[in-house]
Amino acid sequence: MRSRTAEWFECKIRYEKTMEDGMQKKVTEAYTVDALSFTEAEQRIIEEMSSYISGEFEVADIKKAPYKEIFFSEEDMADRWYKAKLQFITIDEKTDKEKKSNVNYLVNASTLNGAVKNIDEVMNGTMIDYVIASVVETQLMDVFEYKKKEKDDKPEYEQ
């Protein structure tokens, strides 16, 4: 289990999908990418989806994702994405009262119980008191992280 903080954007892609019965159906699917701007998010999702979709597709919507961090699972069966709202508990030193702040995370897991387990696994490495307020399965199909392109050690041309 690893977590990653970045600027995340939710992108909706609309295209003609061939269904199991062979019929064509117009579908809209949601994906998340990390990017520095809306423009880069659009460029990244087009690049990523071009290798999965044959034919035309359009970017129907892009918005900033409400996640502070994404918890990725190394488990092979982890094919679902869950939105988790965690409440962090702090004590106000002046008033000596408990204060709760809400933070959203996106968690990769195969089941709801797996998502809770993954949250606990990541959060147990911290000293912060927290409560899992909610965990809800999302409609996200996938998350695309930014990957640095490997540079060849060889120069482009020989001198």
Side-chain angles (χ1 to χ4, degrees):
M1 174 76 7
R2 63 189 169 81
S3 67
R4 183 151 187 284
T5 305
E7 187 74 39
W8 297 100
F9 292 85
E10 284 187 4
C11 304
K12 289 191 178 171
I13 302 297
R14 186 175 295 128
Y15 68 102
E16 292 269 336
K17 184 176 187 174
T18 305
M19 306 310 283
E20 288 178 14
D21 62 6
M23 299 293 290
Q24 293 284 97
K25 182 180 178 188
K26 194 96 164 163
V27 296
T28 301
E29 295 177 341
Y31 297 86
T32 297
V33 298
D34 67 341
L36 298 172
S37 65
F38 284 91
T39 304
E40 185 186 359
E42 182 176 26
Q43 178 186 350
R44 295 243 9 260
I45 196 64
I46 289 170
E47 189 178 291
E48 292 287 353
M49 297 315 296
S50 292
S51 58
Y52 294 106
I53 299 172
S54 60
E56 292 183 22
F57 64 89
E58 70 172 304
V59 179
D61 187 34
I62 299 176
K63 64 182 178 187
K64 282 194 175 187
Y67 319 120
K68 177 172 182 355
E69 222 173 312
I70 295 184
F71 300 162
F72 292 91
S73 175
E74 304 300 323
E75 181 190 341
D76 288 337
M77 300 299 289
D79 61 349
R80 295 188 177 127
W81 295 95
Y82 295 86
K83 180 179 175 183
K85 182 175 18 177
L86 273 58
Q87 291 182 333
F88 294 106
I89 303 160
T90 55
I91 305 293
D92 186 319
E93 291 180 20
K94 291 179 184 171
T95 62
D96 216 26
K97 289 188 178 178
E98 222 178 60
K99 188 176 132 188
K100 293 180 181 177
S101 54
N102 295 323
V103 180
N104 292 320
Y105 294 91
L106 188 63
V107 182
N108 184 212
S110 56
T111 64
L112 181 72
N113 288 341
V116 171
K117 180 178 156 268
N118 291 349
I119 292 165
D120 287 336
E121 189 178 304
V122 171
M123 297 308 296
N124 283 338
T126 69
M127 299 298 287
I128 302 169
D129 288 332
Y130 71 96
V131 172
I132 298 174
S134 68
V135 179
V136 179
E137 187 174 351
T138 70
Q139 295 299 311
L140 286 174
M141 301 300 286
D142 209 349
V143 172
F144 298 109
E145 282 184 278
Y146 177 77
K147 291 183 182 93
K148 285 186 179 176
K149 294 186 176 162
E150 299 293 321
K151 286 187 175 181
D152 288 338
D153 292 334
K154 298 176 193 172
E156 260 184 60
Y157 57 92
E158 296 292 324
Q159 288 185 348

